[in-house]
Amino acid sequence: MRVRTPWVEALRKKQEEGIDPTKKSDVAATPSDRDLTPKRMADSYHRVVIPLAQDPWLLDNYLNANGHIRLGTIFMDLDALSGVIAYKHTGESVTTVTAAVDRITINHPLKELCDLELSGQVTFATGRSSMEISIQVAKAPKEAGAPVHPEDVLMTCAFTMVSLDPNTKRPVAICPVKVESEEEKRLFALGEKNYNTKKDRAKTGLRKQTPNDEESDLIHAMWLRQLEYHDPNNPLRKPPNTHYMSTTTLHSSQIMQPQYRNRHNFMIFGGYLLKTSFELAFCCAAAFSHSRPTFLSLDPSTFENPVPVGSVLYLKATVAYTEPVTTSSSSSSSANTNDDPSSATTTTTRVQIRIDSKVRDIEHGSSTKPTGQFNYTFLVESDISVAPQTYEEFMIWVDARRRAERVRGSIDEGGGMAAGDGGGLKGSGKHDGRAVRVTE
């Protein structure tokens, strides 16, 4: 269960004690002498089967209007499972929150409705406050305990979780992972690589450094091209399939209700934010392309600040980057011609949607806090591109372009994590997303 106390009881206790559990305290609650003995990966392993093929009423919660599996609902389950795994590793004396989703990738689209097996474990933890959790979603084997075949793996993902003191909200140390087998060494090394890569990227992010020479040249070339579009003496005009970034945005706002709280009762759990941001991203890609998008991946995304129950969540979706895709009867590959949108001749496009989320209290008396950024990539059956105009939009475009190049590089290297026993993840990610599927 995601929550253990009915909302009415949690609210009554808060009112009686007169203590706001969402506020920081100077008194630590986590014991300073707790046991931090290294734990095996298997100690945190957890497996759940969702009997979609057996329970039509349960299936109701997972289907959309077309009878396809709602990926947003699966994302909620993934975050909930990552929390269960994290607490199996850390124990109950800490508060564990989702800090980032490093990537969610479709490996093999489902072609039939079936029971789903969600499984995972902690695959990287050094004894500091954070840990990486690797999870896979697969077609459930017919016999309990039977291994999952690689071709039955629907989805792989990695979550970064951080443990905090429940009172001070400061990071606390957790047990390191004890590596035993060769496969565990591989998973740990992959987690360590991801950890170091994120640290390096933070140092070279656009908030720390200006665009590099290649990016600056691209920005300047696109700016000059747009000047030509508006020059009455130049016959060149913006192609009809190129849309300015400012025209692609969609907004949503909603009150955060207690039904989607986390196990600590007064904050919204990360899976709900994934679900709502995904569905807005899907709508944004559909409105942009005038077609039904196919989800390819959730690219590295971050959670910055918690979202309190009762607050107002604001989401903004923007088409951040587009990339033409060339296809053949047997394979697909991407051609990075997005730098000159007018040169694209293909009929399919990868569309990257950026979701920016912010939160305010219901009285709107306090300042707006950013709560996270989510980056989704879809495939659309359309030859279409996006063009930035302002400096802020150019930075969004450059950031998304970097992300697309990193993803392409990881695919060329053999990418991510390989499906294996114990929730180890990895998949090629080479399909173009257009196979017959029952996920959406």
Side-chain angles (χ1 to χ4, degrees):
M1 293 178 63
R2 190 181 72 250
V3 295
R4 299 180 175 183
T5 306
W7 172 248
V8 65
E9 293 183 14
L11 187 62
R12 185 183 299 121
K13 181 179 179 181
K14 174 185 175 182
Q15 293 170 341
E16 291 175 351
E17 295 181 352
I19 299 175
D20 187 349
T22 66
K23 302 297 183 183
K24 296 180 181 179
S25 168
D26 294 330
V27 181
T30 304
S32 58
D33 59 346
R34 63 196 181 97
D35 185 12
L36 295 179
T37 302
K39 291 187 176 181
R40 300 179 305 146
M41 288 188 186
D43 292 338
S44 62
Y45 177 77
H46 197 78
R47 170 182 175 272
V48 175
V49 173
I50 306 175
L52 299 182
Q54 305 175 47
D55 189 341
W57 287 110
L58 176 64
L59 184 61
D60 253 20
N61 297 321
Y62 286 82
L63 291 185
N64 66 11
N66 293 324
H68 293 170
I69 298 294
R70 295 175 60 189
L71 286 176
T73 307
I74 298 294
F75 293 166
M76 291 178 66
D77 291 337
L78 291 175
D79 187 74
L81 178 60
S82 69
V84 171
I85 293 170
Y87 279 107
K88 289 182 74 171
H89 184 79
T90 65
E92 299 289 335
S93 63
V94 301
T95 295
T96 301
V97 298
T98 307
V101 183
D102 297 322
R103 188 160 168 78
I104 297 178
T105 306
I106 296 290
N107 293 51
H108 302 92
L110 284 181
K111 297 181 180 179
E112 60 178 343
L113 292 175
C114 60
D115 295 346
L116 295 180
E117 177 189 274
L118 282 63
S119 61
Q121 62 191 6
V122 174
T123 51
F124 177 74
T126 62
R128 301 176 67 89
S129 62
S130 66
M131 71 197 94
E132 181 174 283
I133 294 175
S134 300
I135 300 176
Q136 71 178 23
V137 181
K139 181 178 179 180
K142 296 190 179 197
E143 296 183 9
V148 172
H149 299 295
E151 64 271 17
D152 289 335
V153 177
L154 162 65
M155 187 184 302
T156 57
C157 62
F159 284 76
T160 297
M161 311 291 284
V162 174
S163 293
L164 309 173
D165 182 276
N167 288 357
T168 66
K169 316 302 181 190
R170 294 172 183 164
V172 295
I174 61 174
C175 300
V177 163
K178 181 169 61 176
V179 177
E180 296 178 322
S181 68
E182 290 301 316
E183 174 64 8
E184 290 180 352
K185 290 179 181 178
R186 184 188 70 81
L187 291 171
F188 187 90
L190 180 60
E192 186 174 34
K193 178 182 177 181
N194 292 341
Y195 176 78
N196 292 329
T197 298
K198 285 187 287 186
K199 288 179 64 177
D200 293 339
R201 287 174 186 166
K203 297 176 183 177
T204 58
L206 291 170
R207 289 181 178 270
K208 299 289 183 66
Q209 294 185 10
T210 58
N212 61 36
D213 291 344
E214 179 190 11
E215 294 163 345
S216 296
D217 290 343
L218 288 172
I219 291 172
H220 190 254
M222 294 173 72
W223 175 71
L224 288 177
R225 179 63 61 89
Q226 291 180 32
L227 290 181
E228 294 176 343
Y229 292 161
H230 298 287
D231 184 353
N233 300 313
N234 191 322
L236 185 66
R237 292 294 177 266
K238 180 173 70 67
N241 67 333
T242 297
H243 300 268
Y244 289 126
M245 189 179 293
S246 60
T247 67
T248 69
T249 58
L250 285 182
H251 297 262
S252 75
S253 59
Q254 53 187 311
I255 299 175
M256 296 291 95
Q257 303 292 359
Q259 286 73 24
Y260 296 106
R261 67 193 185 277
N262 63 19
R263 64 188 287 156
H264 305 290
N265 291 312
F266 296 98
M267 296 294 180
I268 299 300
F269 94 107
Y272 183 71
L273 302 180
L274 288 176
K275 171 183 173 292
T276 53
S277 62
F278 168 77
E279 292 181 350
L280 182 63
F282 183 92
C283 292
C284 184
F288 173 66
S289 63
H290 294 275
S291 64
R292 179 172 289 275
T294 298
F295 171 77
L296 294 181
S297 65
L298 168 62
D299 303 317
S301 302
T302 56
F303 294 82
E304 296 179 44
N305 287 298
V307 178
V309 171
S311 63
V312 181
L313 179 70
Y314 294 92
L315 299 180
K316 176 184 177 183
T318 305
V319 177
Y321 185 76
T322 52
E323 185 176 40
V325 178
T326 57
T327 59
S328 66
S329 59
S330 59
S331 64
S332 68
S333 62
S334 62
N336 191 17
T337 57
N338 185 77
D339 305 335
D340 181 9
S342 62
S343 67
T345 59
T346 61
T347 58
T348 61
T349 307
R350 284 197 185 101
V351 178
Q352 191 176 140
I353 307 294
R354 167 173 164 159
I355 303 288
D356 291 293
S357 63
K358 298 180 179 180
V359 67
R360 297 191 72 173
D361 59 39
I362 195 66
E363 295 83 8
H364 287 65
S366 62
S367 60
T368 302
K369 288 185 178 181
T371 60
Q373 178 184 316
F374 307 93
N375 306 287
Y376 296 92
T377 299
F378 298 89
L379 185 78
V380 299
E381 299 286 339
S382 180
D383 178 9
I384 195 167
S385 63
V386 68
Q389 289 178 290
T390 67
Y391 189 79
E392 179 184 6
E393 290 174 353
F394 276 115
M395 294 304 99
I396 291 174
W397 184 88
V398 168
D399 181 58
R401 180 177 182 269
R402 290 180 178 182
R403 193 174 297 109
E405 289 186 331
R406 289 195 294 263
V407 170
R408 194 183 314 116
S410 68
I411 291 175
D412 291 341
E413 291 175 2
M417 310 170 242
D421 295 339
L425 314 135
K426 161 175 159 190
S428 68
K430 288 182 180 289
H431 69 86
D432 64 5
R434 297 185 299 163
V436 176
R437 58 169 64 196
V438 293
T439 50
E440 187 171 78

